[in-house]
Amino acid sequence: MQAVRVGLGSCGIAAGGLAVQRRFQELLGPGDAGVTLQETGCIGLCHREVLVEIVEDGRRRTLYGEMAPDRVDRIVTDHLRGGRVVGEWVVDREGLLAGQRRIVLRNCGEIAPSSIEEYRARGGYRALSQAVTAMTPAEVIEVVADSGLRGRGGAGFPTGTKWRLAQAAKAERKFIICNADEGDPGAFMDRSVLESDPHSVLEGMAIAGYAIGAGEGIVYVRAEYPLAIRRLREAVASAREMGLLGPDLLDSGFSFSIRLKEGAGAFVCGEETALIASIEGRRGMPRVRPPFPTEAGLWGFPTCINNVETFANVPWILAHGAGAFRSCGTGNSRGTKVFALAGKIRRGGLVEVPMGTTIDEVVYGIGGGTVSGRPYKAVQMGGPSGGCIPASLGGTPIDYEQITATGAIMGSGGMVVMDDSTCMVDVARFFLHFTQNESCGKCTFCRIGTKRMLEILERICAGGGKPEDVNMLAELGEQIRMSSLCGLGQTAPNPVLTTLRYFHDEYEAHIRDKKCPAKVCLALVEFGIDPDKCTGCGLCVRACDAGAISGRSKEAHRIDGSRCVRCGKCLTVCRFDAVRKG
Amino acid sequence: MSRNTDADHSHLPVELTVNGRAVAARPGQTILELVREQRLDTIPTLCHEPGHPPFGSCFLCVVEVKDARGLLPSCTTRVRDGMEVATRSDRITRARKTALALLLSDHYADCACPGQLACPAGVDVQGYLGLARLGHYREALRLIRERNPLPVVCGRVCVRKCEAACRRNLVDESVGINQVKRFVSGHAGVHPERLSPTGKRVAVVGGGPAGLTCAYYLSLQGHSVTIHEAMPRLGGMLRYGIPAYRLPREELDADIDMILGLGVEVACNRRLGREFTLRGLREEGFDAIFLAPGAPLGKKLGMPGEDARGIESALDFLRDTELHGPRQLHGKVVVVGGGNSAVDAARTAVRCGAEEVTILYRRSRKEMPAFHEEVDAAEQEGVRLTMLVAPVEAIPDAATGRLAGIRCVRMELGEPDRSGRRRPLPVAGSEFEVPCSFAYSAVGQETDPDLFSREPVDGRPAVGPPGTIEADAATMACRLPGVFAGGDAVNGPAAVIDAVAHGRLAAEAIGGYLRTGEVKRPDPAFVCRRDDFGPVPETEYEDAKRIPHHATPQRPAGERRNDFREVEEGLSEEETREEAARCMECGCKALYTCDLRRYAVEYGVDVGGAAGHVRRHKADDSHPLIAYDANKCILCGRCVRACEDVLDQPVLGFVGRGFDTTVMPAMGRTLAESACNGCGTCVECCPTGALTAKLPHGRQGPWRATRVPSACGFCSLACPLDLHVVTDGLLWAASPVDALGRKGDLCARGRFGTGLLQSGNRIRTPMVRKNGELAQASWEEALREAGRLLTECRRRQGAGAIAVLAADRMTREERHLVGRFAREGLGAGFVGSFGAMRRGGPRRDLDDFLGRTASTCLLEDLDDADGIVVIGADPGTTHPVLGTRIRRAARRGAAVVVVHSSEIDLVRASTLSLNPRRGTSGILLADVLRRILAAGAVDGRWTGSGESEREAIRDLLEGAAKAGVVRACGVDSGKAEALARAVAGGKKVVAVYDLEETGERSSGDLAVLSRILAATGHLVPPAGGLLLLGSDGNAEPAGPAVGGEADLPDALSAGRVRGAVVMLEDPLSDPEGEALLGGLETLVVADCFWTRTARAARVVLPASTLAETDGTLVRFDGTLCPVKKACIPPGGRTTAGMIRDLAVEIGCEIPSALPDAIREDLFRAPAISPDDAGKVLLPRTLDIRKIRLSGKAGLPVRRSYATMNEAVRSRLAGREIRGAF
């Protein structure tokens, strides 16, 4: 018996997974009766997509990376039919996953996401069954509290405490909301889990519902995640069919239904009160807390909101016990954390590491260092709400308190690696641009203050920085942090404040010397042509609207710096890598 | 809206400290509420709307709480035990300033009109243009005088910096601001009030514009002022420098006399430095001195031969002309210079008979500082202009030594100098000679150098470079204590208005100095200007209508060059008002109410502090009642929340994200296209001028107004409102505001209609029909004629032949007088309201049951009812404020049941809605009563005459129900059951029924409804009640009925009525009314508006509106609501006064006022008190069998015949406002 598993998460599909799957379908004929073609989710090795795994007799597993339709033929002939492993395409699965601890991602890439049977085969829904049949709600909460699980959405509020508050609230209706409005640019942990293992989230929600006494669950998921939505719908339907969701589930007397609510992609709707407003059909705008949602949330009823990763942890904790979870991690941060590793990293993708792992271990150990091989300069953690941690603090263990102490935040799991070709002022500008655009416009400081900060950063990047700008940024940033209603505004200045703190010299270089050390800010860059590489093809001359490039055909060209407007077009059109920034 | 059942808060007070002071707060209170309620401090906030849940977005209200992470917004932070709050600190101030600076950095708006800002004296240009446009000339003049006591003078000779700055220049030509001022200044009679004497004395040195102005404002403050003037008469350069043909002396004297009229003393022919000294003034006991000696000396040309006879300074020439009359000139005259004095001298020389007058100027005409109109006028009068020429030497006649000519050199223009004008340079070898007999130099002015020569050195004020006195620009204070200075002596020669500005600044500072002994600089004025964000593009005014400017009329040149009579003529009243209407009203309507501006001043915020990109929006001017300028919006969201509160679904909302977030109607609609019903609540919530009411007067101000609390008379709700009164006939209404800033509700009619009543189609004078035409008449004449007609009619036809028709809408006092006038004066047979008669007369449905057909509880009982049944009423449309109140009750959890034949807007807020066919609600209600009786849950008090009676009625009902509710009404029987359960099950159930909703009326409905309430124990408070709505201000059952309507139609049709007095009703606009009353011989009408009835009258008497009278209205639940006289009616007499006078005319003395006891008697008394509850018995007269499909369909449209309502309704409707009125 052979099973061919094609990785068909969004990453696999984007890399061409569907074409690979089609090729297998074309090639596998009646003679391949013992071969089944399956689809699975994302295992996290995004840099090697498309991934295809051949499982023989349910035991022997071979993982192939960078699959393409034209490679499928050889896999079929050599491996499936000939029994010969195609060694050069094999991915060292164990090696690449070394250093990881997979709790949340336990099923990702391992099972067919649309198969509830496979999920159950790996112990799925046993935790729910155990909870509703053998435990009181208080006992469930006790286990979760004991495990030390904290909200994985970013703020790290102890999950057990939140559940306890929601349970204590007396009301005729209560709600569980799964926050799947993953909005940080570059983050895709939640999407991956929903696409690859939707049942773990549903099970977690049902357990939470039992614990706090809620009968209704809502998954608030981005409409931009069509695959996740499809898999969730399938999962809800099959779970209901099997009596794992719905009225009197597992004959326990406990009823729990789950529905989906698609969000239209407003970043601020990741904030819980804005999210609630959005579900209620109003503009996604945060409101004052208290009352907290656990007291008065959706439609005014007590509501417990956790994010995807938090819920995915819950069944594991119940199944393995609080102690098993506690044993992983450090200090007040227990369990694991999933990161979307991106940026100038060699092996980008989804990783799950035990709390306490250092940043260096993630970047060098798991991520394999930077693409260029040069040392990394900083990691950006926590998305637009987070900050940049310099390489000098690479020994910082991943732990809510210690990350916060650097000025960044744990966040939901975005980790962008930067090297010396990244301009930190530009990074700050990028993230601030994002938050400014996504501000709901309610609070003065967030709406206008971030705009003014952004204008200053744009000015600095454009070479118009003034010496007092740095102080103005710091001052405004501090005020915005203090004077905003929700997390979006309170954390919006973080990318600026952390880069100001750790990369002050880069700001100085921009402002005082009118230089961008990373050569990213085009206005501060001198363009030149390497006479050795230039072939005199004239492409750049034609591209230059400013008429700054001259030179005879087939001879090295020159750029007249006084006429150059630094648009960078020559850089884009040159086929010989002859245009340089200096 | 927490549905948390665990909402039981502890009721023990919370103890905390605020600014170190221990205070006790209510649990759940926010810090802001606490601080406001206990007046611990004033915390600024822009986004908090008192009475609404906290929002927390502007972050202006931040406070420090010990151990909190940062500053906390006090509007959202709730008090906790042991909290330590500080409301003031440097950190708080910094944060508030930053918040304000950020808001202002995106506030593309003009606080005041650019003309006002350009005026050195800061005259409220827009304000007086608006008042002038509306014909309020005296008010306009009063407004000008607040800043400039020389309006007559300035109306003629002002340099008009306002007109240069006027935004109308971007459209066509500036508004002729000065022409308007000139016209207005001709309207005397406004005498400012002088404060009581302070006993302080101030000496003003110099009686020119600066000195006069200072004297004026000091006098107003109560100080005694003496002007010391060097010349024989007051006026300074106005008299001795400006020729009479520009400023006639009687006009100048008008302004001066007005100032002297305040008691200013004058000592003429006293020159400082010669006749008196500063030290001397001090010794005389003056407490302060204002120096305004001017710059009366002409500068010398500084060329050889200048001493020749025939050369003098233009100033001397002009002064001499004033002192001794025009002298006779001959030969050629040359004037050197390009300023106003040069032109004045040249034109004066023409008038003195010079053969030829030439102005020599060293630059080109474009650079001449004189008014270009003046230069043109001089040319028309024959003055020659020789440009680019400078004199170099005077050539005397060898024989006489008199001037014979001037040698000149031609000039050319070089590089611009510091003033921006190109510097003239002599052209070598271009010298030539100009023969002349007289030459006047007008090349500059200087102060008298001997002013302080007799003072001790330490007693002289500091003197700056070109001989000017040094003074602080903000206070005009000199370095000598108690000495101030202004005018040309400080500025060097400048405009009149600059001197006026100095005089006023000095008066302010001197006032402060006299009070406190210190000179305090005034707070820097905060002004937001669109120009601060870069030049205002002309494209913003693309859509502005081009309106031609009225040029200043001038006498013909050939005529005027022979005399000194005034050259320029003023505009006519018509032209003036047209010119004033050209004002585009650029200044903010919210100038006097804007919180953003107030806080910016309080916190000293710099407008440019956080400059950056600014959003530029196009203002939404589409709505007939509300203007929305998103440029001024600070996104506080108060309008959004207020709108949500009123309508449930807000018209306005946040659109877009980030910096570009805008408050506007959804889907890119304009306000006019939205569902806005024009209630205007948003306008009153707006802390800036983003949302403003469009005043019905055609001009928007802004003006300062006085608040007069009163009540609205447009429906039977009689909502309290505040009248904002600018002056007689210029007012608008707004919600009343309580001490904590919570606002009352108003609908579009109340908020916008009250103002509409003041303008438009008013009857302003009494009219008497002569030869078939109505002609203006005096009150006496009109009253005499009315009296004669009525007496005659009575004599010929008998007392019973005269009907008196008066609107229910009139105040109780007026109606009372009408009754007495009719009965005692006329002995009239028919007294009543035509409108009420047409609506079927007063309802008597409950008389046998309750004793009267009246509400049994108060409006306020809705607020704690847990069940509200709206039946046969559509309050959302007819009584919008009541609709809002019911929606609010629904939001707090009350069950709202709507029974109506159509899908009225309250259905959305309801928990249950039933749609019986029109005219069948009586059947439905009978069925409901049957179900309630069948269920047996019957209130004990209703047992009345016992179980047998109840059984009897039950049997009757069984019979009645046979028709089948489903078939008859089209209502599902489950729904009828639900209604029965809702009424029976509620703790406090209030039913709302509209007596005037004739379309919904069905036989027996109200009678059965009252029995349902009685049976379930909800008929009276505290368990519920019945609210009966009416359409007019005075609910019939509550007021003393004037009576007799029922007989009126019969009497009319029988021809028994031969004459009528109609007050504030318009029966002739109704076909039936026309048929009944059209042919009456004797018709006397009193009304505010020109109705059909008024036009048909023999005598028309102007009546007053509710804003013009004192009195009371009766709310539909019997509550008395006082109205206040806020201004004088245009006819001069109130309606009450008029009725009284008319009564006297026919020989009947009726009292002038009602005893207060009657008001006391009825004040806030529901018609049925709880004490009566037990007496409410089972009626014997209710014949259930009569409940059937009503054959009598009511009038399809609610119609009020009271003309105030009609006038407003038609005008609001004419503006195509959506929603019904």
Side-chain angles (χ1 to χ4, degrees), chain A residues 170 266 283 285 288 295 300 436-439 441-444 447-448 451-452 455 479 481-485, chain B residues 3-5 55-59 69-70 76 95 98 102-103 105 610 612-613 634-635 654 656-659 661:
Chain A
K170 303 260 179 300
R283 177 182 167 92
M285 252 169 139
V288 177
E295 195 186 320
Q436 155 57 215
N437 267 340
E438 291 292 341
S439 163
K442 181 173 173 177
C443 302
T444 305
R447 181 180 76 247
I448 309 177
K451 175 73 175 177
R452 300 293 171 244
E455 284 168 350
Q479 299 238 33
R481 264 161 60 94
M482 292 300 168
S483 307
S484 298
L485 202 61
Chain B
R3 300 222 180 138
N4 191 337
T5 51
F55 191 61
S57 74
C58 73
F59 282 85
R69 190 177 70 102
T76 64
T98 313
L102 286 174
L103 288 173
S105 74
H613 179 69
I634 55 166
L635 284 95
F654 292 88
R657 274 189 228 161
F659 182 71
T661 311

Side-chain angles (χ1 to χ4, degrees), chain A residues 71 109 130 150:
Chain A
R71 290 184 170 187
Q130 177 193 337
R150 293 169 68 173

Side-chain angles (χ1 to χ4, degrees), chain B residues 1176-1192:
Chain B
V1176 178
L1177 302 179
L1178 181 72
R1180 292 164 195 279
T1181 48
L1182 175 66
D1183 186 350
I1184 302 294
R1185 281 165 300 200
K1186 281 190 181 160
I1187 295 176
R1188 54 181 161 73
L1189 275 172
S1190 171
K1192 186 183 169 194

